[in-house]
Amino acid sequence: MSNNLVITSGYKYIDIDAYASIIAYRELLKKQGVNATASTLSTLNQSIPPFILGLKYRLDSADTLKDAKYIVLDTSNPDSFDERVTIDNLVEIIDHHTGFEDYWKNYPNVKTQIEFIGSICTIIFERIVSSGYTEILDTDLCKLLVAGILDNTLNLKSSITTDRDHNAYNKLIRIGNISSDFYIEYFSACESEILKNFTKAIKDDTKIEKVGVLPAVIGQMVILNIKDFNIEEMKKVFAEYPEWLINVISLEDGKSYLYFGGDTVQERLEELFDKQCDAYDLLVLDNFLLRKQIMKKAQEMSSL
Ligand SMILES: [Mn+2]
């Protein structure tokens, strides 16, 4: 094992699932005697509100350590890794996004666990349990992991939520003595951050990746209610792109509002979802989907 093991995630934005899981994995590895740090060169997006940053577990500084080996969590797309990661210094990947499972079979030196479940925090929780170090799970570490699960599964309501996510959530709530109302505190804090700096919040959670019939620019925003969402302001953010899509997930009514721009995007989305658009630039999904589910669907259609 290398002297310096750095746990990191994607480029150029990371969310609470990545943030919480790299910190919790560091705590586990440190407990196991490994000299591990958790850091990122990327920007933290609005899913990591100030009260989460104020918990006692935080990131380490993102120094470029000589001879460091890297572990990447929450992404397996080699084009979207933290800038310090190379194929030669990478030792492990844990991810729940599809698309690169076969790619990594060509690199047997990189240990991979890629499973389509709700949250990487669930996998880290399971590793903590299976290694017998549940004593590291104090309230603050539990809150971090619970926030990651809540965010990536949308309060455990998204269809990508598995029994394993429910199990991890229930155990973490109990072990950390966390209130069952914690989700309100968490999602309200995120929404305050979004509204504080709306344009930046959208850009910080936009993926640029061409998948199937989808536009290459895909934003996502989770809000408590669509009524509070400034659609005109949002369209300005995407004006610079020839084609784009944003998945606005409204938690209260449980729907995805897909706003889009660009030639032929309407026809492509209608084909993908087998559903007519609700307006010239809007398609509403009655049961919300996460962006990663939309991308998986497009990927599956293009490989038929
Ligand atoms: Mn994730």
Side-chain angles (χ1 to χ4, degrees):
M1 187 58 78
S2 159
N3 284 331
N4 294 303
L5 194 53
V6 179
I7 310 163
T8 189
S9 183
Y11 173 81
K12 59 189 197 168
Y13 300 102
I14 70 164
D15 73 358
I16 180 67
D17 191 36
Y19 178 87
S21 61
I22 68 176
I23 290 174
Y25 199 29
R26 174 196 66 197
E27 294 305 311
L28 173 60
L29 292 180
K30 273 166 66 179
K31 191 76 188 172
Q32 293 175 319
V34 178
N35 184 14
T37 57
S39 63
T40 179
L41 291 176
S42 301
T43 304
L44 310 183
N45 77 12
Q46 80 287 346
S47 70
I48 310 164
F51 91 90
I52 291 286
L53 294 171
L55 296 174
K56 74 179 185 197
Y57 298 99
R58 304 191 182 174
L59 293 175
D60 299 294
S61 65
D63 304 323
T64 304
L65 303 166
K66 201 169 177 293
D67 299 328
K69 296 289 181 193
Y70 287 82
I71 295 174
V72 173
L73 307 189
D74 202 31
T75 176
S76 49
N77 177 348
D79 296 328
S80 74
F81 288 165
D82 185 276
E83 287 172 286
R84 294 165 294 172
V85 179
T86 67
I87 210 78
D88 296 320
N89 65 26
L90 176 63
V91 294
E92 183 176 15
I93 293 169
I94 306 173
D95 189 25
H96 63 145
H97 300 80
T98 56
F100 290 90
E101 298 90 330
D102 290 340
Y103 177 88
W104 290 108
K105 286 177 186 152
N106 301 317
Y107 298 93
N109 294 335
V110 179
K111 220 171 103 186
T112 59
Q113 181 177 359
I114 303 175
E115 294 178 286
F116 202 57
I117 71 167
S119 165
I120 293 303
C121 287
T122 294
I123 296 178
I124 300 304
F125 168 77
E126 290 171 348
R127 290 206 180 187
I128 291 170
V129 171
S130 66
S131 63
Y133 287 112
T134 46
E135 76 243 36
I136 69 171
L137 290 168
D138 63 9
T139 295
D140 277 15
L141 199 55
C142 289
K143 278 187 176 173
L144 270 181
L145 291 168
V146 165
I149 295 170
L150 285 173
D151 177 86
N152 269 216
T153 64
L154 297 176
N155 199 22
L156 302 163
K157 288 183 178 139
S158 159
S159 60
I160 67 160
T161 312
T162 66
D163 290 345
R164 289 163 62 188
D165 298 302
H166 279 283
N167 178 54
Y169 171 84
N170 290 331
K171 289 198 170 131
L172 284 163
I173 288 284
R174 204 185 60 231
I175 295 167
N177 196 22
I178 297 168
S179 157
S180 56
D181 283 345
F182 180 72
Y183 78 96
I184 298 172
E185 180 186 359
Y186 173 70
F187 286 114
S188 305
C190 294
E191 188 153 350
S192 302
E193 289 307 293
I194 292 171
L195 297 176
K196 234 188 257 173
N197 199 337
F198 187 69
T199 302
K200 185 173 182 302
I202 293 178
K203 287 205 161 170
D204 286 1
D205 195 9
T206 292
K207 265 193 203 294
I208 302 190
E209 185 175 329
K210 184 67 188 147
V211 180
V213 298
L214 294 171
V217 174
I218 310 180
Q220 176 163 275
M221 184 131 295
V222 177
I223 55 173
L224 287 173
N225 197 308
I226 191 77
K227 292 198 295 281
D228 306 325
F229 195 61
N230 191 333
I231 291 152
E232 292 313 311
E233 202 60 32
M234 178 198 74
K235 287 180 190 166
K236 285 184 206 155
V237 177
F238 291 99
E240 64 182 285
Y241 302 111
E243 55 174 53
W244 57 273
L245 167 73
I246 185 169
N247 177 29
V248 182
I249 295 169
S250 178
L251 286 176
E252 269 183 0
D253 61 6
K255 295 181 180 179
S256 271
Y257 294 79
L258 302 177
Y259 288 93
F260 55 86
D263 296 341
T264 76
V265 175
Q266 177 176 345
E267 297 94 283
R268 281 144 56 194
L269 291 180
E270 287 179 344
E271 187 194 355
L272 180 62
F273 293 104
D274 194 23
K275 185 178 189 302
Q276 295 287 105
C277 283
D278 299 79
Y280 76 95
D281 64 350
L282 170 65
L283 191 146
V284 181
L285 303 177
D286 290 331
N287 295 304
F288 69 71
L289 291 179
L290 291 166
R291 171 173 50 199
K292 67 170 79 74
Q293 292 175 289
I294 294 170
M295 292 169 82
K296 185 168 185 259
K297 193 174 168 67
Q299 184 198 330
E300 284 164 0
M301 190 178 89
S302 69
S303 62
L304 286 179

